[in-house]
């Protein structure tokens, strides 16, 4: 996609319910001509206003609202009485001045309130300078007459905070907002609605400052206060739900955002007309969400429906124009874009001036459009202007400022100015790594995944830039390598570190809560066997349980410094890894790079970064035909293996480019990505030459920097125990038994016993899910059974392997697993049992919860246990990922359906060699070579691969 910003910015809204607006029936418009009329009318008017204001102040608080842009304020028509009120006050003040009695109103409480109300009206009409002046007069008056504890004084300060935020003066906004919050808490207590308003405003301010973690905490606290105060049916509640939705939208949690927003709209519709401009603000947010979720028709329908109901010169209209333009680019309707964007910029400039985030966003969007159309001379000034405004208002480290820096860097790149592009891009990438360290700590794994989905395209754009820039600037290869190893397998490594820190913390309460969280995940695993309708019939709210489980994980984050420290990335560069290599070793870091021209296109290229001892920089190897590799060539490789045909073609497609840089090397550490997770590299054969397995010792790792742990790992195990799970009794049904797995397990047990290994066997009915889940950190875990992976279940109905396909569609961990004792029941028509977590099928989702900390190796002796959904930079989402996340240091798995007899022999040879050599990798390779002597085709000896330390 083009780099057009769709992030939500700040807008302010005051939404008192109708019952909260005071009656001013006694206030009549008057024409003040002389002093006698002043005396006659002013007392009654001001008394009435004072009385009404007292009632109004007890319930009316201004709530900041996040919208798709920093545009308009509350709908003035819904504040009609305020217009009349201010008009009367202004008439009175004017008359006093004309008759020489202005002093009478300058220093009293009523005049302070009058200025506050005048400020609100000016604010509502986007007359910010006048609003600021009135608020400051009101504040000074309250302070002069020593009424700094008055409700209206606190509201004045709060409104100043909202006004400063709208104007982009965030330092002043934070000072005023925090002061109002502290004073309201001190005066009214933590559960007061005024406190809720201030916390909401502070949450929105944190959002605009890029402090997403703090924003989420504040908004959660506001919801808690409102729930306690029974405020679920109010506009204020709808506003806060909306704000949560826009926060979730910014960090990629679109489904959660839509749920919040739908609820907000449902509340608002009961309180105001659907024709209300306020209602359009919620719809605008919903359109933005639809747009980002790929539901373009729904988004366009909302925008076009709004267009006729908005004025042609207000910021709400500008917001709609900007978002509609971005949508039209995505939809390929580019002829409509430029005019919409230019009109949006013009409206923002006239409404807010240039020093405003909304103006910066619209200017950035237009600049990016010109860059996309290769109109670089027009793009440059606009992108520079957006960067300048954002730097001034938001600061260097704000996400929007960093986005603008990247926009300018891309422009330099496309213009061929590599030097300026690299200088900016390095700052952008360093700050992006800091975003990960900042935002990850309180997030659950699901939330981290969604945020990484938002951030990862930036890394992909940088990789494209680095490939293009490398011929002119070889030192860019250092950055390419270092940023890749900083983020490769980021999510998996974060999960592993967190788990290790919790379990080794010694904090009993923390560990107990962690185990409770695992229990909650077990409950979810059982519930995933049902459709949502079936659960609804049983009055089980799956969404609520998922939210509660997610909340438990987040609270664990907040409570433990050790827990949060697990997310911090260590600063590792290519030299730290290079110094560990010997002369006969090399590391190959594969990167799948989605092609980016002026936008991402439906193609990819593959990069190999080859690092050897003594090299000045990593060597770069590029395959430009990534799409062919992933489709045509991968299919050919798999067919050749399955058909037992000689394959001298795949070597040239997947390996030959590496040969020059691997000359003289023996041990090659491979960090795969993309299609390389599906290829058994050892089975590739050079035309007229030999298999890779006979030329190199390959070591598969998740990230090149895993070499640090490998080199520091002890070569011998301190404990000797092995757990076997095999020959399950699947029960009556269509699952064929595997008697060969009993032979396999018995044979391996006899091999390990003389070496001092204590074996625990779970066979037939004991080869159950319950027993496997109870296993605690054995040295080796060997599982021999059926495995499965469902590549695509979208649109399918019913259940498969004990999981409802409705739930499995978006979760690869629910589409792969192992069959254990009693699995036939789950595969048949028998309804699942919510009281038991043993249905005979261990999904990858459940396998993540196993306690395998310190387990040296897991062997999955089953078909296709290495398959799953491939995610760029994160590997395979399936059993592979789950067992590594559970704590296994190394994993043996299969890439295709295996031959039973050949597998038995491979495993016997492997464990025999392991006892002799005391080295997993060497023992495994030797076992494959031994099997090759009997079975020449890779189908038999090449299916299994070893990954990890």
């Amino acid at each position: 996609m083009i780099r057009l910003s769709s992030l939500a910015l700040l807008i302010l809204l005051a939404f008192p319910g109708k019952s909260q607006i005071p009656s001013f029936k006694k206030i009549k418009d008057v024409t003040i001509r002389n002093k006698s009329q002043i005396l006659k009318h002013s007392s009654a008017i001001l008394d009435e206003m004072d009385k009404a204001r007292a009632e109004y102040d007890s319930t009316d608080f201004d709530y900041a609202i996040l919208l798709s842009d920093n545009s308009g304020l509350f709908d003035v028509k819904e504040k009609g009485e305020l217009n009349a009120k201010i008009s009367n006050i202004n008439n009175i003040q004017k008359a006093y001045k004309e008759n020489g009695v202005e002093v009478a109103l300058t220093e009293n409480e009523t005049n302070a309130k009058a200025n506050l109300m005048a400020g609100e009206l000016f604010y509502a009409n986007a007359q910010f300078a006048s609003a600021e002046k009135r608020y400051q007069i009101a504040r000074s008056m309250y302070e002069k007459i020593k009424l700094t504890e008055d409700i209206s004084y606190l509201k004045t300060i709060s409104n100043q905070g909202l006004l400063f935020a709208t104007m982009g003066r965030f330092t002043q906004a934070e000072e005023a907002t925090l002061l109002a919050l502290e004073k309201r808490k001190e005066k009214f207590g933590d559960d007061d609605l005024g406190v809720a308003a201030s916390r909401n405003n502070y949450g929105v301010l944190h959002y605009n400052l890029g402090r997403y973690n703090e924003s989420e905490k504040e908004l959660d606290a506001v919801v808690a206060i409102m729930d306690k105060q029974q405020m679920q049916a109010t506009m204020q509640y709808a506003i806060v739900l909306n704000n949560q939705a826009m926060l979730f939208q910014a960090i990629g949690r679109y489904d959660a955002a839509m749920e919040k927003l739908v609820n907000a709209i449902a509340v608002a519709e009961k309180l105001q007309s659907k024709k209300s401009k306020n209602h359009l603000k919620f719809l605008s947010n919903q359109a933005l969400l639809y747009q980002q979720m790929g539901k373009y028709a729904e988004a366009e329908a909302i925008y076009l429906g709004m267009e006729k109901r908005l004025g042609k010169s207000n910021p709400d209209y500008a917001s709609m124009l900007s978002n509609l333009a971005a949508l039209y680019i995505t939809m390929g309707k580019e002829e409509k874009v430029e005019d919409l964007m230019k009109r949006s910029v013009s409206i923002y400039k006239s409404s807010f001036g240039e020093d405003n985030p909304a103006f910066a966003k619209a200017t950035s969007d237009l600049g990016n459009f010109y860059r996309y159309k290769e109109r670089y001379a027009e793009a440059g000034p606009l992108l520079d202007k957006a960067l300048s405004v954002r730097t001034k208002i938001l600061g260097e480290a704000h996400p929007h400022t960093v986005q603008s820096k990247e926009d300018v860097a891309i422009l330099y790149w496309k213009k061929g100015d590599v030097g300026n592009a690299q200088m900016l891009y390095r700052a952008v990438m360093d700050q992006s790594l800091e975003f990960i360290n900042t935002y990850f700590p309180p997030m659950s794994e699901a939330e981290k995944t969604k945020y990484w989905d938002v951030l990862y395209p930036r890394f992909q754009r940088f990789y494209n830039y680095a490939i293009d820039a490398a011929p002119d600037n070889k030192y860019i290869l250092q950055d390419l390598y270092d940023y890749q190893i900083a983020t490769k397998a980021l999510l998996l490594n974060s999960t592993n570190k967190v788990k290790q820190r919790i379990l080794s913390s010694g904090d009993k309460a923390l560990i107990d809560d962690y185990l409770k969280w695992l229990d909650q995940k077990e409950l979810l695993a059982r519930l995933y066997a049902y459709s949502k309708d079936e659960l609804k019939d049983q009055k089980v709210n799956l969404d609520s349980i998922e939210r509660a489980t997610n909340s438990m994980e987040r609270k664990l984050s907040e409570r433990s410094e050790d827990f949060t420290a697990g997310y911090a990335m260590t600063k590792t560069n290519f030299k730290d890894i290079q110094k560990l290599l010997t002369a006969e070793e090399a590391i190959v870091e594969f990167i799948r790079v989605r092609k980016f021209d002026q936008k991402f296109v439906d193609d990819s290229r593959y990069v190999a970064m080859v690092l050897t001892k003594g090299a000045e920089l990593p060597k770069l190897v590029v395959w430009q035909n990534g799409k062919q590799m992933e489709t045509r060539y991968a299919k050919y490789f798999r067919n050749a293996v399955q058909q037992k045909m000689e394959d001298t073609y795949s070597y040239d497609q997947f390996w030959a480019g590496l040969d020059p840089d691997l000359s003289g090397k023996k041990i090659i550490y491979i960090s795969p990505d993309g299609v390389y997770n599906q290829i058994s590299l050892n089975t590739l054969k050079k035309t007229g030459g030999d298999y890779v397995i006979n030329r190199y010792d390959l070591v598969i790792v998740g990230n090149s920097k895993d070499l640090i742990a490998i080199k520091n790992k002890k070569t011998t195990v301190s404990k000797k125990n092995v757990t076997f799970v095999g020959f399950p009794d699947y029960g009556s049904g269509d699952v064929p038994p595997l008697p060969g797995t009993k032979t396999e397990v018995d044979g391996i047990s006899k091999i390990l016993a003389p070496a001092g290994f204590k074996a625990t066997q779970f066979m037939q009915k004991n080869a159950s899910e319950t027993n496997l889940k109870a296993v605690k950190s054995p040295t080796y875990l060997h599982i021999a059974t059926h495995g499965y992976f469902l590549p695509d279940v979208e649109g399918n109905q019913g259940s498969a392997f004990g999981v409802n396909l409705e739930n499995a569609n978006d979760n690869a961990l629910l589409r792969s697993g192992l069959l254990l004792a009693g699995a036939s029941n789950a595969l048949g028509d028998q309804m699942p049992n919510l009281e038991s977590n043993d249905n005979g099928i261990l999904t990858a989702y459940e396998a993540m919860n196993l306690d395998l900390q310190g387990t040296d190796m897991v062997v999955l002796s089953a078909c296709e246990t290495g398959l799953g959904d491939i995610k760029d930079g994160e590997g395979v989402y399936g059993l592979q990922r789950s067992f590594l996340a559970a704590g296994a240091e190394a994993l043996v798995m299969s890439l295709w359906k295996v031959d039973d007899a050949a597998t038995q022999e491979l495993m016997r040879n492997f464990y025999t060699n392991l006892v002799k050599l005391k080295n997993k990798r060497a023992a495994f390779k030797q076992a494959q070579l031994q099997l090759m002597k009997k079975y020449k085709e890779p189908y038999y000896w090449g299916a299994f691969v070893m990954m990890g330390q």
Side-chain angles (χ1 to χ4, degrees):
M1 294 178 65
I2 306 171
R3 295 296 298 145
L4 294 177
S5 169
S6 293
L7 294 182
L9 297 179
L10 177 71
I11 183 170
L12 300 316
L13 188 63
F15 266 136
K18 291 183 178 179
S19 62
Q20 295 169 271
I21 299 178
S23 173
F24 287 89
K25 292 180 180 178
K26 297 179 182 179
I27 301 179
K28 306 293 183 182
D29 288 321
V30 293
T31 302
I32 308 293
R33 294 188 179 87
N34 53 51
K35 190 170 183 178
S36 63
Q37 286 181 311
I38 294 173
L39 297 176
K40 180 178 179 181
H41 293 288
S42 64
S43 179
I45 292 173
L46 293 176
D47 284 349
E48 175 64 20
M49 186 191 71
D50 197 41
K51 178 181 177 183
R53 186 68 195 187
E55 175 188 350
Y56 194 60
D57 278 341
S58 67
T59 54
D60 177 54
F61 302 100
D62 290 330
Y63 283 73
I65 182 171
L66 286 166
L67 296 187
S68 59
D69 227 320
N70 191 354
S71 53
L73 306 172
F74 56 80
D75 183 3
V76 177
K77 291 182 181 179
E78 294 185 13
K79 285 275 193 170
E81 293 182 272
L82 185 58
N83 279 296
K85 175 173 56 177
I86 298 299
S87 177
N88 279 295
I89 294 169
N90 286 340
N91 281 339
I92 293 170
Q93 289 179 309
K94 181 179 179 181
Y96 269 98
K97 186 174 182 179
E98 290 174 350
N99 288 275
V101 291
E102 185 175 7
V103 177
L105 282 175
T106 54
E107 294 182 1
N108 62 44
E109 181 183 356
T110 300
N111 202 33
K113 289 181 180 179
N115 276 284
L116 170 57
M117 289 186 231
E120 289 174 340
L121 183 64
F122 285 128
Y123 191 0
N125 285 298
Q127 299 178 45
F128 300 134
S130 297
E132 181 182 5
K133 180 179 179 180
R134 291 288 189 149
Y135 284 153
Q136 186 54 49
I137 291 172
R139 180 171 178 175
S140 297
M141 287 182 177
Y142 280 119
E143 290 172 351
K144 191 165 186 177
I145 59 179
K146 301 188 186 314
L147 285 178
T148 54
E149 300 301 317
D150 187 86
I151 294 175
S152 295
Y153 175 73
L154 302 184
K155 193 170 192 298
T156 303
I157 299 172
S158 178
N159 285 358
Q160 282 183 308
L162 298 177
L163 174 64
F164 290 142
T166 305
M167 298 169 75
R169 290 154 57 178
F170 292 122
T171 299
Q172 292 171 284
E174 186 164 22
E175 291 174 356
T177 303
L178 182 58
L179 178 60
L181 172 59
E182 291 174 342
K183 282 186 169 292
R184 280 173 169 169
K185 287 175 69 173
E186 181 180 350
K187 184 176 181 66
F188 303 112
D190 291 342
D191 295 332
D192 181 72
L193 291 179
V195 172
S198 281
R199 296 197 74 160
N200 171 77
N201 298 347
Y202 206 27
V204 170
L205 182 61
H206 278 311
Y207 170 94
N208 266 344
L209 291 169
R211 303 173 190 165
Y212 298 142
N213 298 342
E214 291 88 342
S215 178
E216 187 166 4
K217 291 178 184 177
E218 292 293 349
L219 295 178
D220 284 345
V222 177
V223 170
I225 293 172
M226 290 187 159
D227 285 342
K228 192 172 184 178
Q229 297 280 3
Q230 302 291 306
M231 295 281 290
Q232 294 90 337
T234 64
M235 278 303 304
Q236 291 93 329
Y237 196 76
I239 291 169
V240 179
L241 292 177
N242 169 86
N243 291 346
Q244 289 181 310
M246 289 293 95
L247 171 63
F248 292 161
Q249 168 266 337
I251 53 181
R253 286 146 62 177
Y254 299 138
D255 290 337
M258 185 59 76
E259 181 182 359
K260 291 283 186 182
L261 192 53
V262 167
N263 290 338
I265 291 172
V267 172
E269 285 180 344
K270 296 177 181 178
L271 300 171
Q272 61 182 211
S273 168
K274 290 185 179 181
K275 296 181 180 180
S276 163
K277 289 185 180 179
N278 291 331
H279 188 69
L280 296 182
K281 299 176 191 297
F282 290 115
L283 291 182
S284 177
N285 285 351
Q286 190 174 43
L288 175 62
L289 270 174
Y290 278 138
Q291 187 172 331
Q292 293 176 323
M293 296 170 78
K295 299 180 179 181
Y296 303 136
E298 292 91 332
E300 184 181 22
I302 292 177
Y303 288 139
L304 296 180
M306 292 171 58
E307 186 172 12
K308 297 178 181 180
R309 294 154 64 182
L310 291 168
K312 299 296 184 181
S313 61
N314 65 66
D316 286 347
Y317 188 66
S319 173
M320 186 278 298
L321 294 174
S322 180
N323 289 335
L324 183 59
L327 176 64
Y328 280 153
I329 292 176
T330 306
M331 297 175 71
K333 300 179 179 180
E334 296 175 7
E335 71 282 357
K336 300 183 178 183
V337 169
E338 183 176 2
D339 178 63
L340 295 175
M341 288 186 168
K342 291 171 77 172
R343 287 158 62 195
S344 177
V345 171
S346 177
I347 293 170
Y348 280 135
K349 185 174 180 178
S350 62
S351 297
F352 296 135
E354 293 188 352
D355 287 343
N356 185 273
F359 172 79
K361 174 191 175 295
T363 303
S364 173
D365 286 352
L366 182 58
N368 274 311
F369 177 70
Y370 286 149
R371 187 266 303 159
Y372 163 65
K373 301 299 288 184
E374 299 185 10
R375 294 161 60 177
Y376 299 142
E378 295 166 275
L382 294 171
L383 294 178
D384 287 339
K385 180 65 176 178
L387 175 58
S388 174
V389 172
R390 283 173 164 169
T391 302
K392 177 181 177 181
I393 296 173
L394 304 173
E396 293 279 355
H398 192 282
H400 296 165
T401 307
V402 175
Q403 174 192 305
S404 275
K405 287 182 181 179
E406 188 195 4
D407 293 339
V408 177
I410 292 173
L411 179 63
Y412 280 133
W413 163 23
K414 294 304 177 181
K415 290 168 60 177
D417 188 345
V418 174
N420 278 318
Q422 183 176 3
M423 180 178 65
L424 268 175
Y425 240 136
R426 181 170 287 174
V428 168
M429 303 311 292
D430 285 343
Q431 188 58 55
S432 297
L433 294 182
E434 190 57 36
F435 289 155
I436 296 169
N437 285 336
T438 300
Y439 299 140
F440 264 33
M443 290 183 178
S444 68
E445 182 174 6
E447 292 165 350
K448 286 184 295 175
T449 300
K450 289 179 172 61
Y451 178 65
W452 182 229
D453 286 343
V454 170
L455 197 59
Y456 185 63
R458 173 173 293 157
F459 286 82
Q460 285 279 295
R461 285 187 292 272
F462 172 77
Y463 297 157
N464 276 279
Y465 156 71
I467 295 168
D468 291 352
D472 298 320
N473 178 16
K474 64 180 182 178
Y475 293 104
I476 194 66
L477 297 179
Q478 176 177 341
D479 290 339
L480 174 58
Y481 194 94
D482 289 351
Y483 291 128
Q484 167 70 358
I485 64 173
T487 58
K488 181 80 168 284
L490 172 68
L491 300 171
L492 177 61
N493 290 333
S494 296
T495 298
N496 284 345
K497 288 180 181 179
V498 167
K499 182 176 181 179
Q500 291 167 10
R501 288 178 182 274
I502 288 179
L503 295 179
S504 62
S505 67
D507 185 335
K508 185 178 184 304
L510 180 62
I511 294 171
D512 286 346
D513 285 346
Y514 175 77
L515 296 177
K516 290 176 184 177
W517 171 65
L518 292 183
D519 289 341
Q520 194 76 358
K521 291 183 71 178
E522 284 289 310
L523 171 61
L524 279 174
R526 297 198 295 273
L527 295 178
Y528 286 140
Y530 290 84
S531 71
K532 291 183 179 179
D533 286 341
E534 289 171 337
L535 290 172
K536 187 176 181 180
D537 290 341
Q538 299 186 52
K539 295 182 170 52
V540 175
N541 189 329
L542 180 62
D543 292 339
S544 177
I545 296 172
E546 285 179 327
R547 285 194 298 270
T549 305
N550 199 56
S551 178
M552 290 174 69
E553 186 176 354
R554 293 178 64 247
K555 288 179 180 178
L556 284 169
S557 302
E558 295 171 4
R559 284 176 44 203
S560 169
E561 291 183 5
D562 285 336
F563 191 75
T564 58
Y567 292 93
M569 292 179 296
T570 56
K571 301 293 184 181
T572 305
N573 62 42
F574 84 96
K575 291 186 179 297
D576 296 323
I577 299 170
Q578 185 183 44
K579 66 184 180 182
L580 298 174
L581 294 170
T582 66
E584 64 174 8
E585 293 178 326
I587 288 183
V588 180
E589 178 68 53
F590 283 104
I591 313 173
R592 181 188 186 270
V593 181
R594 185 182 174 191
K595 284 188 178 180
F596 179 88
D597 183 12
Q598 296 290 357
K599 63 178 182 178
F600 284 115
V601 297
D602 184 24
D603 201 354
S604 63
R605 45 186 172 177
Y606 278 82
V607 169
M609 304 285 288
V610 183
L611 187 60
T612 56
K613 186 177 181 64
E616 180 187 12
L617 291 165
K619 296 290 183 65
L620 180 69
V621 181
V622 181
W623 289 263
Q624 295 287 355
N625 59 335
K627 191 171 184 178
Q628 286 183 308
M629 294 170 69
E630 295 164 354
T631 53
R632 176 183 173 185
Y633 300 149
K635 184 177 181 180
Y636 180 88
F637 167 80
R638 196 169 185 85
N639 285 340
V641 167
Q642 299 284 1
Q643 300 299 321
K644 306 178 183 64
M645 303 186 315
E646 184 175 2
D647 178 9
T648 57
Y649 183 69
S650 296
Y651 182 92
D652 291 336
Q653 309 309 319
F654 295 102
W655 189 269
L658 297 171
D659 278 339
D661 296 314
L662 298 179
S663 177
K665 306 304 177 187
K666 180 60 178 174
I667 301 173
I668 314 297
Y669 298 92
I670 301 287
S671 174
D673 198 8
V675 71
Y676 281 90
N677 287 290
Q678 298 177 311
I679 304 297
S680 179
L681 295 174
N682 272 326
T683 68
L684 299 179
K685 187 177 183 181
K686 187 176 183 179
T687 302
D690 208 345
Y691 288 106
V692 168
I693 193 173
N694 288 321
R695 299 176 59 202
Y696 306 104
D697 291 336
L698 299 189
V699 182
I700 310 299
V701 296
N703 185 321
S704 289
K705 66 182 179 181
D706 291 349
L707 182 65
I708 297 171
I710 291 173
K711 292 288 187 175
N712 292 329
K713 181 177 171 57
K714 297 178 181 178
T715 56
T716 58
V717 295
S718 58
K719 59 180 181 178
K720 291 186 175 183
N721 59 74
V722 57
T723 297
F724 294 101
V725 179
F727 190 35
D729 179 355
Y730 302 116
S732 59
D734 296 328
V735 183
L738 292 173
T741 60
K742 182 179 188 306
T743 304
E744 178 182 321
V745 168
D746 288 343
I748 297 171
S749 296
K750 291 177 182 178
I751 293 169
L752 292 179
F757 277 84
K758 179 181 178 182
T760 301
Q761 288 191 10
F762 295 110
M763 309 291 282
Q764 293 209 292
K765 291 188 182 299
N766 289 326
S768 66
E769 190 179 350
T770 297
N771 285 334
L772 179 53
K773 288 177 177 178
V775 169
K776 302 289 185 184
S777 303
T779 306
Y780 303 141
L781 173 61
H782 186 103
I783 305 174
T785 183
H786 288 295
Y788 69 90
F789 169 65
L790 301 173
D792 184 15
V793 298
E794 186 173 0
N796 293 334
Q797 302 295 319
S799 298
F801 295 100
V803 174
N804 187 273
L805 296 180
E806 181 183 9
N807 300 314
N809 182 45
D810 296 323
N811 191 340
L813 299 182
L814 294 173
R815 290 188 269 115
S816 57
L818 300 169
L819 304 190
L820 299 168
S824 290
N825 293 331
L827 300 181
D829 297 329
Q830 182 173 324
M831 287 296 292
N833 180 6
L834 280 178
E835 302 302 318
S836 171
N837 65 351
D838 187 345
N839 65 348
I841 297 176
L842 181 81
T843 64
Y845 177 87
E846 294 171 289
M848 286 189 72
N849 299 337
L850 296 176
D851 184 359
L852 301 180
Q853 295 301 120
T855 294
D856 190 61
M857 179 179 66
V858 172
V859 178
L860 300 179
S861 182
C863 295
E864 301 181 325
T865 50
L867 300 185
D869 280 359
I870 297 173
K871 186 179 178 70
D872 291 353
E874 278 296 316
V876 179
Y877 275 71
L879 287 168
Q880 174 187 148
R881 183 180 189 83
S882 295
F883 277 94
L884 292 174
E889 295 185 3
L891 182 66
V892 176
M893 56 199 171
S894 62
L895 295 178
W896 54 77
K897 294 184 184 298
V898 294
D899 179 82
D900 193 29
T903 299
Q904 289 180 49
E905 189 166 346
L906 176 71
M907 293 302 169
R908 285 197 304 270
N909 291 340
F910 171 43
Y911 282 99
T912 299
N913 297 334
L914 183 58
V915 170
K916 292 178 181 178
L917 301 176
K918 296 180 173 57
N919 182 296
K920 296 190 296 291
R921 293 194 301 273
F924 185 69
K925 178 178 179 176
Q926 186 64 31
Q928 289 181 307
L929 294 174
Q930 289 167 334
L931 193 63
M932 188 190 297
K933 294 177 181 179
K934 183 174 181 180
Y935 301 99
K936 302 298 183 183
E937 294 87 359
Y939 170 79
Y940 297 100
W941 56 263
F944 285 92
V945 294
M946 177 181 285
M947 181 180 186
Q949 298 177 22

